[in-house]
Each structure stands twice: as structure tokens, then as C-alpha cells.
Amino acid sequence: MNAGPLASPSPGLRPRARPAPSGTRHRSNPYHRKIDRPSACPGNRFRGFNRFRRGRIEINFLPYPVRYEHATSLPALQQNHRQSQDRGDRLSSDEHVQERYPQTGEMPGMWHPAHRYRPEGGEMRIDELSSTAFAKAMEADPIVFLPLGACEAHGPHLPLGTDTFQPEETVTQVAKRVGGLVAPTINYGQHSSTLNMPGTISLTFDTLRSLVKDILESLHRNKVHKVVVLTGHFGSVHRIAIKLACEHATQHLGMKVMMLSDYQLALHLEKEICQGLEDGHGGLLETSRIMDIRPDLVAKERSHGEFVDSGYLIVSDPERCFPKGFSGDAGLASEEKGRRINTYIVDTLTELVRANFEG
Ligand SMILES: [Zn+2]
């Protein structure tokens, strides 16, 4: 889906000098080339300056293309950069997005640098507003979205931030539609079955409940009355901790709070997408969604993982229920399926939010 614009860059951008080396994980993310692509200029000691032709360097890891001409040393580069900025050579983030993605005019995924820094995005993310701008935004009594992510093993084919990217993308899209604000993401959750797997970083139940409770109280002090808490991680203990914090906010602070997991909405499409196949953690649904949101982070080689029921035993090695670290047929995942699921989730959550807060 993103291959079109990249395959035929507009005249302003040079075509790729050569295909990305095999095994690269960031092929479709132009800003991550510096990780995988060695410098095209032998002897160039500055990482990221990956093209050097005819006295011209293009730096691609910034959220906008920067081109220097006839620069051969770092001070010369810095001087050129200042001059380039003075001349207004730098493309704005918006122009860059348009150039790279002319078909949609949108950068896929929320966490892309161009998303984070483009001007209109700043209106929506609380952490990009000034205190004054935030106070002004609060005059409209907006709905505030609080995404909860996780750093959790999701099998060998998905990034640890899988449960972060999904709710972030969802709340970004829904907030745009309903004119809401997005609070900074909580990037950690409580984990049980994947606790001993490499890369899983877990909070305890009490910490998570206190964290969400404190943030909701603080939002309340900031005159926020309507909150949507969306968690990407679907663990039962994790959700109970969040729910208790939300109940405190509704019962003691008089706030109106919705709390759910986007995975709950994804499950509405399980029958259609999975066609009767068993699916679960890091499986077909989640893999497809990440392929739509962050295709650069999904491994090309994907297999089938089983879930092994422990029969109600409380065990010290709960990871035994995921011998491969995930469950479901990730090999059947596709960007198209992910787009279908993500669109459904955004549409459904928008309707729910409107019914709850605007109806
Ligand atoms: Zn997940």
C-alpha cells in the first residue's frame, strides 16, 4: 500500500541508489535507512549521510530531507545547514509528506517523525501544546484520549511496541474525527504470560492502577471531564488495574470515562479475518494491524504459533502457553487485512465515543 509512492518518487527526490540489503527490517521506512544501509560514500565517517554524489549529500534520517552541496567537513555541513535554513530550502514536514506519499498525503502510522512534528498534529497532542494553548483548548471541554501501550514480547515477527502502536494509531484517528486531545501514552503495562520472555517490561498491578489513577486525577485538576482510556494490551489483570482506576475517577471525581481495548473491537472481525482459525497474542489480527500501521517493523518470515492451555494451573513459567511466543497464523497476515481491521476499529470507536459523549 505504501510501495507505490516510494517506488516512483517525485522528481524532487533522487531514486534509491540501490535496493535495500536483504534482511533489512526498515525497508519501507525512509527514515530508518541509516540503520540498515551503509554509507554510499566510502570513507564517509558521518553516519546517516548515506548519499554523496557530485558534491551533494542528502540526510535521510531527519523528519525532512536536508540537502547539502559541496560540503566536505562537519563545520562546512553545519554552515551549509544554517544557510539552507536561512534560504528556506528545507521542506516543511507537510511538503515532505506530500512528496513522499502523494496518493494519500498522509504518512502511515502515528509515530512517524513527520506525524509527530507536523504543524496540525501539534494541535491534537497534549504534549505538543504550550500551557497556554492547552488552557485555550480546554475551553471547548474536549474529549481526552489516554492510550495505554506496552513493551511486550509478541513473537519473533512483531516489535515489542505492538500494543503501543495499535492504540496510538486508533486514538489519533478517532481524536481527529471528534476533535479530541491525545494525552501522552503510558508505554508500560502489567504482564503475566509473557513476563519471562525477553523484552517484556512489566509494571505490577498496584503500580499500574496508581499510575492511571494519578493521571486521571491530574487530568481532572486540568478541567478534563471526558476521557477515553484505550489499552492495546488485552491481559485480564492489566485491564482490571486500569478499570479500578477508571472507576475511582467516575465515582470520586465525577468524570465520564470510557475504558476498553482496541483488541476487543478487533475481535468483532475475528470470524471474517481468521476464517475459523485459532488466533491470539501476536497472531493474524495483531500482525495484520501492525503491517498496516508500521510495516517496516514486521518481519517477512512469519509462522504459525500455538496456544497451549495450562488447565487452570498457576505456573511459574507461564510462557509455556506460547511455545513460539505468540499464537495464531501470522503467515496469513496482510496489510490489506490490517487496514480493514484498523478502519473498522476507528469507525466503531468513533461511533461509541459520539454516542457516549455527544449523544
Ligand atoms: Zn498485543
Side-chain angles (χ1 to χ4, degrees):
M1 200 161 290
N2 306 316
L6 281 174
S8 54
S10 60
L13 286 175
R14 285 177 177 277
R16 291 183 175 198
R18 57 184 172 177
S22 59
T24 176
R25 287 166 47 219
H26 303 291
R27 191 171 178 182
S28 55
N29 186 335
Y31 305 114
H32 287 191
R33 277 187 220 149
K34 75 171 179 111
I35 297 169
D36 295 318
R37 290 167 64 90
S39 166
C41 171
N44 184 351
R45 63 195 175 91
F46 304 120
R47 289 187 68 203
F49 299 172
N50 55 8
R51 291 184 209 176
F52 192 110
R53 286 182 176 181
R54 294 175 199 151
R56 187 173 179 181
I57 295 177
E58 294 182 10
I59 296 178
N60 292 310
F61 61 86
L62 294 173
Y64 41 78
V66 179
R67 296 161 188 162
Y68 300 106
E69 294 190 5
H70 310 296
T72 53
S73 65
L74 188 56
L77 283 170
Q78 290 167 336
Q79 173 71 9
N80 266 9
H81 182 45
R82 281 192 293 273
Q83 288 173 350
S84 164
Q85 283 187 317
D86 291 345
R87 289 197 306 268
D89 286 355
R90 205 185 88 178
L91 290 176
S92 72
S93 294
D94 263 3
E95 288 167 334
H96 176 48
V97 170
Q98 288 295 334
E99 193 175 42
R100 288 269 185 187
Y101 300 91
Q103 290 173 341
T104 60
E106 292 241 3
M107 190 71 77
M110 173 183 180
W111 289 104
H112 211 282
H115 257 264
R116 284 182 63 91
Y117 300 118
R118 65 181 184 177
E120 68 268 32
E123 305 293 314
M124 200 177 58
R125 291 176 53 107
I126 285 179
D127 58 3
E128 292 184 350
L129 297 174
S130 69
S131 172
T132 318
F134 175 80
K136 182 140 185 68
M138 290 314 300
E139 288 171 9
D141 194 18
I143 300 164
V144 170
F145 293 81
L146 175 61
L148 271 100
C151 187
E152 185 192 23
H154 271 78
H157 57 288
L158 284 175
L160 296 169
T162 290
D163 286 353
T164 299
F165 303 132
Q166 294 173 97
E168 277 181 345
E169 174 66 14
T170 304
V171 298
T172 303
Q173 300 303 329
V174 177
K176 270 185 198 170
R177 295 188 185 185
V178 302
L181 295 175
V182 178
T185 308
I186 299 176
N187 280 303
Y188 300 98
Q190 188 280 335
H191 302 281
S192 303
S193 55
T194 60
L195 186 63
N196 299 327
M197 292 183 188
T200 296
I201 302 175
S202 182
L203 302 176
T204 61
F205 179 93
D206 290 336
T207 303
L208 179 61
R209 182 179 59 171
S210 299
L211 185 60
V212 178
K213 179 171 166 278
D214 287 356
I215 291 171
L216 289 172
E217 282 179 351
S218 197
L219 286 171
H220 181 255
R221 275 198 301 279
N222 277 286
K223 302 186 174 54
V224 173
H225 304 114
K226 299 177 278 192
V227 182
V228 177
V229 179
L230 189 73
T231 169
H233 178 48
F234 193 58
S236 52
V237 178
H238 169 87
R239 283 185 294 141
I240 290 170
I242 300 168
K243 194 171 180 200
L244 287 175
C246 293
E247 283 180 358
H248 171 83
T250 56
Q251 290 168 8
H252 299 282
L253 306 175
M255 296 173 85
K256 195 165 185 178
V257 183
M258 258 180 89
M259 182 248 153
L260 73 160
S261 170
D262 46 335
Y263 190 71
Q264 283 172 289
L265 302 180
L267 285 175
H268 293 182
L269 298 183
E270 188 179 18
K271 210 171 167 186
E272 174 194 321
I273 301 289
C274 302
Q275 302 277 319
L277 292 170
E278 203 174 276
D279 196 58
H281 176 71
L284 178 49
L285 292 175
E286 281 200 291
T287 306
S288 296
R289 291 186 65 198
I290 295 297
M291 288 175 81
D292 178 43
I293 299 167
R294 288 297 305 266
D296 53 306
L297 298 179
V298 182
K300 286 199 175 69
E301 277 189 28
R302 300 185 301 274
S303 61
H304 179 269
E306 271 183 299
F307 175 78
V308 180
D309 199 321
S310 59
Y312 301 106
L313 265 182
I314 306 298
V315 293
S316 60
D317 56 344
E319 62 277 9
R320 69 162 72 163
C321 65
F322 296 120
K324 284 190 178 176
F326 69 103
S327 72
D329 199 337
L332 295 177
S334 72
E335 192 173 321
E336 288 68 31
K337 287 173 186 160
R339 178 60 57 93
R340 160 88 178 111
I341 302 165
N342 288 332
T343 305
Y344 173 82
I345 290 172
V346 170
D347 288 347
T348 307
L349 185 57
T350 304
E351 274 177 38
L352 282 168
V353 168
R354 287 200 167 127
N356 283 335
F357 294 107
E358 297 173 3

